[in-house]
Amino acid sequence: MKAGATTTGPKSAGGLVPGDKDGPERFEKSLGEWLLAEGKLDAAGLERAFRLRGESGERLDVILTKLGMITEGDMAGILALRLHMPLVRAGDYPDEPVLDQEVSARFLRETRIVPLADTPEGLVLAMADPLDSYAMRAMELIAAKPVIPRVGIPAEVESAIERIYGGAPATIGEIVDDSGGTDDEGTVEDIERLRDLASEAPVIRLVNLLISRAVEARASDIHIEPFENRLRVRYRIDGVLQEVEAPPNRFRAAVISRVKLMAKLNIAERRLPQDGRVKLAIRGKDIDLRVSTVPAMYGESVVLRVLDKGEVFDLLALGFDDETLAGFREVLKRPHGIVLVTGPTGSGKTTTLYASLLELNTPEKKILTVEDPIEYQLDGVNQIQVKPQIGLTFANILRSILRQDPDIIMIGEIRDLETAEIAVQAALTGHVVLSTVHTNNAASTITRLLDMGVEDYLLTSTVNSFIAQRLVRTLCTECREPYQAMPELIEQMGLEGYADNGPITLYRAKGCPACNGTGYLGRTSILEMLVMSDPIRRLVLTRTEAHQIQRAASEHGMRTMYEDGVNKALAGITTMEEVLRATRIV
């Protein structure tokens, strides 16, 4: 390495020198103070980010982008400003690789670096993480000259790496053209032939492209569905299914078999449902795929649930406002009792439970969970997977774990009277129990448990609170469009009480490149919390109907899901259309 190489690169990174362990901490503190001063964050948001930083060990800027407080593009601009580095634009990336023979594409993908130019002054780099001193030192050794770091937007850096160094076609059409055709029309019966097809390079690249595109699009699920004359692929993005480009029908059997091989499933068994998991690293993130297959008329329907292992679980980020969060934390602090999160499938119940567990997770507490399936692995939490095929059911596990001396128990779902009774007994013996129930609102959970056979006096003495929730799409802040609500709309939506202070401003989705033209980016919760107070207990003991309990809870100060949604719509977080879509069944 040339003299001065170490000082030229890292010192251009805002004075952060590799090996200086306090440098990043000083920068994060300075960054936090600047974000507050510029109004990019409020004090509560910054405090929450620092708290999560301490729990996860990740840097402040990474936490902020994961929480959605700041977009990747905005954070890149902020880092460029704070580190006194140029921001690399999309047109600045070269058409041909720089240092093609000296550096591997794999290293560039792992470090998310793109060499821009090899100049006499040094090697110019676009870096998704300009504070990565290890990567800068490695590039100095490779180039034998100083490096000149610049800040790149992570998505653009990764896209440039694939374009310049990937060596793989960027579209399904290109992969199909390269494959030279196949005799497989989706009806291959020979298992060995099918295994060979699923292991061929074009099929592997097709499946990898489908998965990587889903991760880039922030999809929560990938649906691969065979029909008579075509294979359909859809991504569920922000709760809505969107059809995307799919491989030709002749690749149907090979693509489905490839997914099954990745999940270690039996490709010869196509008559019964199967479940498996796949672990991958995509865009520098560890991703778990939960794979489910079921037999359909024209083959096997496959759904892959995309689970980001780096996801941050935080109650405020999930949609709890300050008032509801304060009440919920008060309930969680109680030494015993049951807290139930309710809602239909896909309403974020498990995510809320995980965030609650992380709030409670301290060295003084022993936490055990019983789940089917385990979606995310939580550090410091003992998680147990239900396996009904060998008799390991919710009820059987719960009987055993009460002898494990737990303080807190999380039950994935209360499905029957036996599980409900064990949860009640655990609460009566001094444990905190968290679980979910499939009901439409908070009050109907009471009647659901009574219908299961839980005694009313046990219900009133053990349940502390019910949280009912739905997920709504959040508006893209880059393009959301304000409008003044018409009197007819105000009357139709029951917003008269909000019009006392003047005209009501709502927001509509417009669409821009940042949100792929949808007008929405991400999701948040709208929720209601019913606390088991004395008035509610009296109603439960008299077997009052759910709608009367709901009305009484509202009269005693409970904010309904609809009201929470209206508040979020007025704040420009979501639209009234989304609120109505999520709450119309309540």
Side-chain angles (χ1 to χ4, degrees):
M1 181 171 26
K2 292 185 179 181
T6 302
T7 58
T8 303
K11 280 195 175 178
S12 64
L16 295 179
V17 180
D20 179 4
K21 295 181 180 179
D22 296 329
E25 291 184 6
R26 286 201 307 270
F27 173 76
E28 287 181 333
K29 184 178 178 181
S30 171
L31 175 63
E33 292 172 350
W34 184 85
L35 289 170
L36 278 180
E38 293 294 316
K40 304 286 186 182
L41 282 179
D42 56 22
L46 183 61
E47 180 184 354
R48 177 160 52 103
F50 268 116
R51 175 170 56 81
L52 290 171
R53 174 198 174 280
E55 293 172 0
S56 67
E58 294 181 298
R59 284 207 321 266
L60 178 64
D61 55 306
V62 176
I63 291 291
L64 290 173
T65 54
K66 279 190 174 182
L67 289 175
M69 294 181 176
I70 297 177
T71 66
E72 280 189 346
D74 288 344
M75 181 55 74
I78 291 168
L79 289 175
L81 178 65
R82 298 295 297 164
L83 297 173
H84 309 292
M85 292 183 189
L87 179 65
V88 181
R89 302 296 178 182
D92 296 338
Y93 292 95
D95 295 326
E96 299 295 331
V98 177
L99 298 184
D100 187 24
Q101 303 300 319
E102 291 84 351
V103 63
S104 70
R106 179 179 178 181
F107 175 78
L108 296 178
R109 287 191 186 95
E110 290 175 351
T111 57
R112 296 191 296 169
I113 289 176
V114 176
L116 299 178
D118 189 5
T119 68
E121 293 77 22
L123 180 65
V124 183
L125 303 176
M127 303 183 67
D129 182 3
L131 298 178
D132 189 346
S133 57
Y134 162 77
M136 282 192 282
R137 281 183 167 175
M139 290 303 295
E140 286 175 345
L141 289 170
I142 292 169
K145 62 172 60 178
V147 298
I148 305 171
R150 295 180 178 176
V151 181
I153 298 172
E156 292 180 357
V157 170
E158 290 157 3
S159 176
I161 292 172
E162 290 305 315
R163 176 175 58 82
I164 301 169
Y165 297 91
T171 68
I172 287 176
E174 291 175 4
I175 296 175
V176 171
D177 290 342
D178 289 349
S179 71
T182 174
D183 294 331
D184 173 26
E185 291 296 334
T187 58
V188 175
E189 296 297 334
D190 180 34
I191 298 303
E192 289 306 316
R193 170 63 178 150
L194 191 57
R195 191 184 301 275
D196 291 342
L197 282 172
S199 302
E200 289 179 354
V203 175
I204 293 173
R205 283 152 58 189
L206 279 173
V207 173
N208 289 346
L209 183 60
L210 291 176
I211 295 172
S212 62
R213 281 183 174 179
V215 173
E216 290 168 4
R218 303 176 296 101
S220 60
D221 300 87
I222 306 169
H223 292 247
I224 303 174
E225 303 161 317
F227 293 94
E228 184 177 9
N229 298 314
R230 69 186 181 111
L231 181 68
R232 181 168 71 173
V233 177
R234 294 187 289 174
Y235 296 157
R236 188 175 295 278
I237 302 171
D238 295 334
V240 178
L241 281 172
Q242 300 178 16
E243 189 164 353
V244 298
E245 183 185 11
N249 192 52
R250 69 177 186 269
F251 286 90
R252 181 174 70 198
V255 166
I256 292 172
S257 295
R258 175 61 192 167
V259 174
K260 292 176 71 174
L261 284 175
M262 293 170 68
K264 297 179 174 59
L265 302 180
N266 182 4
I267 66 170
E269 180 55 78
R270 285 174 274 181
R271 302 165 301 168
L272 297 173
Q274 296 186 67
D275 296 293
R277 295 185 85 107
V278 181
K279 293 184 178 181
L280 296 172
I282 298 174
R283 291 190 61 187
K285 297 189 292 186
D286 291 329
I287 301 294
D288 270 5
L289 299 174
R290 201 175 77 209
V291 181
S292 170
T293 70
V294 295
M297 181 175 292
Y298 296 106
E300 290 176 283
S301 174
V302 180
V303 176
L304 298 86
R305 170 64 57 88
V306 182
L307 305 171
D308 183 356
K309 295 176 70 175
E311 183 169 341
V312 176
F313 297 103
D314 178 68
L315 291 172
L316 261 179
L318 296 180
F320 283 76
D321 60 25
D322 293 337
E323 181 182 347
T324 307
L325 182 57
F328 187 54
R329 282 177 170 158
E330 187 63 34
V331 169
L332 289 177
K333 288 178 183 177
R334 296 183 186 180
H336 54 80
I338 301 174
V339 176
L340 292 174
V341 183
T342 77
T345 300
S347 59
K349 301 186 300 296
T350 302
T351 305
T352 298
L353 287 184
Y354 281 166
S356 303
L357 289 179
L358 291 180
E359 291 257 338
L360 298 169
N361 189 14
T362 64
E364 295 79 27
K365 301 288 185 182
K366 176 159 184 174
I367 302 176
L368 286 167
T369 74
V370 186
E371 304 175 60
D372 184 23
I374 296 173
E375 293 197 4
Y376 295 93
Q377 297 177 9
L378 304 178
D379 185 48
V381 177
N382 299 277
Q383 297 172 270
I384 304 169
Q385 169 71 55
V386 170
K387 296 179 181 177
Q389 62 271 24
I390 61 171
L392 199 62
T393 63
F394 277 105
N396 290 340
I397 296 172
L398 286 170
R399 291 192 192 94
S400 299
I401 66 173
L402 288 176
R403 295 191 288 271
Q404 287 280 311
D405 188 31
D407 297 291
I408 300 163
I409 301 169
M410 192 270 269
I411 305 169
E413 181 185 349
I414 294 179
R415 302 176 179 176
D416 50 45
L417 176 60
E418 189 177 17
T419 305
E421 286 179 335
I422 296 174
V424 167
Q425 290 302 319
L428 287 172
T429 53
H431 301 87
V432 173
V433 180
L434 308 179
S435 189
T436 70
V437 182
H438 283 84
T439 55
N440 287 337
N441 58 23
S444 61
T445 311
I446 295 173
T447 55
R448 173 79 177 107
L449 293 172
L450 292 173
D451 290 343
M452 277 187 190
V454 179
E455 296 291 344
D456 50 17
Y457 68 92
L458 290 175
L459 188 60
T460 57
S461 60
T462 56
V463 177
N464 291 334
S465 178
F466 304 91
I467 298 282
Q469 68 179 65
R470 299 287 188 280
L471 293 178
V472 294
R473 291 183 290 174
T474 54
L475 282 164
C476 173
T477 56
E478 299 289 331
C479 65
R480 65 183 179 184
E481 190 173 73
Y483 67 96
Q484 188 170 319
M486 301 295 290
E488 296 82 3
L489 179 64
I490 292 173
E491 182 180 358
Q492 182 183 356
M493 302 298 178
L495 304 178
E496 294 88 351
Y498 296 90
D500 295 340
N501 298 323
I504 292 179
T505 299
L506 296 172
Y507 295 80
R508 62 168 63 96
K510 186 178 179 182
C512 69
C515 58
N516 290 324
T518 64
Y520 296 97
L521 197 61
R523 288 191 290 178
T524 190
S525 301
I526 56 174
L527 40 85
E528 63 189 24
M529 184 173 73
L530 192 161
V531 178
M532 186 67 82
S533 59
D534 288 338
I536 300 300
R537 288 189 178 94
R538 286 193 289 270
L539 293 175
V540 174
L541 291 171
T542 58
R543 301 289 178 126
T544 304
E545 293 184 0
H547 68 90
Q548 293 176 299
I549 295 175
Q550 185 83 354
R551 187 184 304 118
S554 297
E555 292 171 356
H556 286 83
M558 183 188 79
R559 181 192 298 158
T560 66
M561 276 187 288
Y562 179 74
E563 291 168 341
D564 188 39
V566 168
N567 288 338
K568 288 182 168 69
L570 293 171
I573 297 172
T574 188
T575 62
M576 280 303 302
E577 290 80 4
E578 278 293 296
V579 175
L580 291 172
R581 179 183 63 83
T583 60
R584 62 188 175 190
I585 63 172
V586 178

